[in-house]
Amino acid sequence: MHGETEEAIENLVDETVWIKVGQLGKLINGFKEHSISECVMVGQVAPGNLFNLRPDLRAVKLLMGLKTKNAHSIFGAIAKELSSEGINLIEATPWLQPAMPGEGFTVGPTPTSAQQADIKFAHQMAVEIARLDIGQTVVVKDGAVLAVEGWEGTDDCLARGGELAGKEGGAVAVKVAKPGHDFRFDIPCLGPKTLEICAASRLAVLAFEAGRTLLLEREVVERAAEQHKITVAAT
Amino acid sequence: MHGETEEAIENLVDETVWIKVGQLGKLINGFKEHSISECVMVGQVAPGNLFNLRPDLRAVKLLMGLKTKNAHSIFGAIAKELSSEGINLIEATPWLQPAMPGEGFTVGPTPTSAQQADIKFAHQMAVEIARLDIGQTVVVKDGAVLAVEGWEGTDDCLARGGELAGKEGGAVAVKVAKPGHDFRFDIPCLGPKTLEICAASRLAVLAFEAGRTLLLEREVVERAAEQHKITVAAT
């Protein structure tokens, strides 16, 4: 997608069809022209851009039919629209499993008992927030919720939470998948950029849901965790 | 309190004793020296400052005894500590009732049906967030939660939500009291400054809980609502 995906992707794949966010008709035509009956979603659309898009007729119709507009309702409707054209949106997780660390995964410093309590508390809060369909990330410190992810996305939420922890930093962030999360169109995702944000915002812990989170460039993440003394753990 | 309260307060009252946030021992001694047995809290302590304070011995003891640290647990413990010294913290609401608009209060443009739906949705979400002891303000647009208040306070939450609504703005904000809200030490509060933030962030609606919210400088707020075409309503 123009403005969302790096152009270098053209060198890694057999063929590329570029669309803009909102060009649902063009997406479907692209699949049909190449006789594609199965597809996966990978990569990210910045949620903020969904308010500034110029939807084509097909996307307008789809958006108007939605009661609530969040990532899941929008992408769910897209999946249904694709399916009505014989194009099956499937999970990318079978190919990505090795990049989704399971229980017991932990790098960086061993968390203190206070941090362990904060991880547990932030996890509970994040599950509630995800259940309400608001966001997936919560940042806490000393049992206080500093930041809840809304429409701004994980990175901005982490940065805000880090700032709100005061001069000494030390906040604890947890990111979860939604209950009944649809992994076809949204896999919770962390990577080197996330770690850079945690470091800049002096977060102490970044925890994520075991087996349900994509850890991009694991080795880079592990080096960054050691270097910046940030605990990165599956929970 | 130094750094929290305007010094001009000295001209409006019989006597002033200045303390810093965190000087609980000095606060109690101040009350005792003046034989005060009843007190009210008015005004605000910026929550962010609670991480940068230098508590005295008495405050350290109090904070160490807390399982969770949020405005309610902290001020609740302070009320208990005062009470153990024979100083009764009472609600300021009897004096403030005229400044707390009830059901039916509305100024500025009549909300569209889409905005009415967003007010209802934001109110439900704000109640959930308040129930979880996270914050009291939620900003939505078109059925999507843009921003949830955490530790940053209402103003920053409004500003963020407004920005996340995209170029055209039009977000809807709702602020509520907590279920079982303790009005002795925290009254949900809106005023001219809130309206300025709403205007700068192009919010369309600012709604608050009827009879449970302090509206500061109502006439200024009403003029600002008309001028900036912002609906201000009790819900």
Side-chain angles (χ1 to χ4, degrees):
Chain A
M1 293 188 188
H2 283 300
E4 302 285 339
T5 315
E6 283 184 38
E7 286 184 19
I9 201 168
E10 291 189 343
N11 307 320
L12 302 168
V13 296
D14 292 336
E15 202 154 332
T16 319
V17 176
W18 287 98
I19 62 166
K20 288 178 189 165
V21 179
Q23 294 185 317
L24 184 56
K26 194 171 174 189
L27 175 73
I28 289 171
N29 289 339
F31 282 142
K32 285 184 157 180
E33 276 163 27
H34 294 78
S35 309
I36 287 166
S37 62
E38 283 197 323
C39 65
V40 298
M41 287 185 181
V42 284
Q44 195 188 16
V45 175
N49 295 346
L50 294 177
F51 280 128
N52 295 325
L53 55 74
R54 295 173 181 231
D56 62 18
L57 195 61
R58 193 140 190 180
V60 166
K61 268 183 64 182
L62 178 141
L63 289 170
M64 282 174 60
L66 292 177
K67 263 193 170 173
T68 59
K69 287 187 192 68
N70 53 53
H72 274 71
S73 70
I74 293 169
F75 290 125
I78 292 170
K80 215 171 146 187
E81 197 74 8
L82 290 172
S83 158
S84 75
E85 297 282 354
I87 303 152
N88 199 10
L89 179 65
I90 60 173
E91 280 191 24
T93 40
W95 296 274
L96 298 173
Q97 209 60 55
M100 299 171 85
E103 206 133 339
F105 174 89
T106 172
V107 291
T110 306
T112 64
S113 61
Q115 286 167 346
Q116 282 171 14
D118 272 350
I119 293 170
K120 197 177 162 191
F121 174 62
H123 187 258
Q124 288 167 343
M125 287 292 151
V127 167
E128 294 274 1
I129 295 303
R131 182 185 59 77
L132 291 167
D133 226 351
I134 293 175
Q136 296 167 242
T137 308
V138 167
V139 183
V140 311
K141 185 182 173 184
D142 296 344
V145 176
L146 303 181
V148 171
E149 179 192 2
W151 200 256
E152 76 280 15
T154 300
D155 292 354
D156 285 356
C157 174
L158 293 174
R160 186 171 74 253
E163 286 311 309
L164 290 165
K167 287 173 201 154
E168 290 176 21
V172 169
V174 174
K175 181 170 187 173
V176 299
K178 279 182 35 159
H181 203 94
D182 193 329
F183 284 86
R184 288 177 307 165
F185 45 81
D186 184 17
I187 303 172
C189 194
L190 302 169
K193 196 184 149 206
T194 325
L195 264 283
E196 290 307 319
I197 289 163
C198 291
S201 312
R202 291 155 295 141
L203 265 75
V205 177
L206 176 65
F208 57 85
E209 213 170 344
R212 305 184 80 199
T213 312
L214 201 57
L215 195 59
L216 301 171
E217 301 180 58
R218 187 190 292 208
E219 282 172 25
V220 182
V221 166
E222 294 187 2
R223 275 202 304 277
E226 296 295 346
Q227 186 196 331
H228 300 298
K229 298 190 174 39
I230 296 169
T231 307
V232 178
T235 179
Chain B
M1 292 189 188
H2 282 299
E4 302 285 336
T5 315
E6 283 183 37
E7 285 184 20
I9 201 167
E10 291 189 343
N11 307 321
L12 303 168
V13 297
D14 292 336
E15 201 155 333
T16 318
V17 174
W18 288 97
I19 61 165
K20 289 181 190 166
V21 179
Q23 294 186 315
L24 183 57
K26 193 170 175 189
L27 174 73
I28 289 171
N29 290 339
F31 283 142
K32 286 185 158 177
E33 278 163 25
H34 293 78
S35 308
I36 286 166
S37 62
E38 283 199 324
C39 64
V40 297
M41 287 186 182
V42 284
Q44 194 187 18
V45 176
N49 295 346
L50 294 177
F51 280 129
N52 295 326
L53 55 73
R54 293 172 184 233
D56 63 18
L57 195 62
R58 193 140 188 179
V60 165
K61 266 183 67 182
L62 179 140
L63 290 168
M64 281 175 61
L66 292 178
K67 262 193 172 176
T68 59
K69 286 189 193 68
N70 54 53
H72 276 70
S73 70
I74 293 169
F75 290 124
I78 291 171
K80 213 171 146 186
E81 196 74 9
L82 290 173
S83 158
S84 76
E85 297 283 355
I87 304 151
N88 200 9
L89 178 65
I90 61 173
E91 281 192 23
T93 42
W95 296 273
L96 299 172
Q97 208 61 53
M100 300 171 86
E103 206 131 339
F105 174 89
T106 171
V107 290
T110 307
T112 65
S113 62
Q115 285 168 348
Q116 282 171 14
D118 272 350
I119 292 170
K120 197 177 161 193
F121 174 63
H123 187 257
Q124 288 167 344
M125 287 291 150
V127 168
E128 293 274 0
I129 295 303
R131 183 185 58 79
L132 290 166
D133 226 350
I134 292 174
Q136 294 167 242
T137 308
V138 167
V139 184
V140 311
K141 186 183 172 184
D142 297 343
V145 176
L146 303 181
V148 171
E149 180 192 2
W151 201 254
E152 76 279 16
T154 300
D155 293 353
D156 285 355
C157 175
L158 294 173
R160 185 171 76 252
E163 286 310 310
L164 290 166
K167 287 171 201 156
E168 290 175 21
V172 168
V174 174
K175 180 170 187 173
V176 298
K178 278 183 37 159
H181 202 96
D182 194 329
F183 285 86
R184 287 177 306 165
F185 44 81
D186 183 18
I187 302 172
C189 195
L190 302 168
K193 197 185 150 207
T194 326
L195 263 284
E196 291 306 318
I197 289 164
C198 291
S201 313
R202 292 155 295 138
L203 265 75
V205 177
L206 176 66
F208 57 85
E209 214 171 343
R212 305 184 81 199
T213 313
L214 201 57
L215 194 59
L216 302 171
E217 301 178 60
R218 188 191 291 210
E219 283 171 26
V220 182
V221 166
E222 293 188 359
R223 274 202 303 278
E226 296 295 345
Q227 187 196 331
H228 299 298
K229 297 189 174 41
I230 297 168
T231 307
V232 178
T235 182

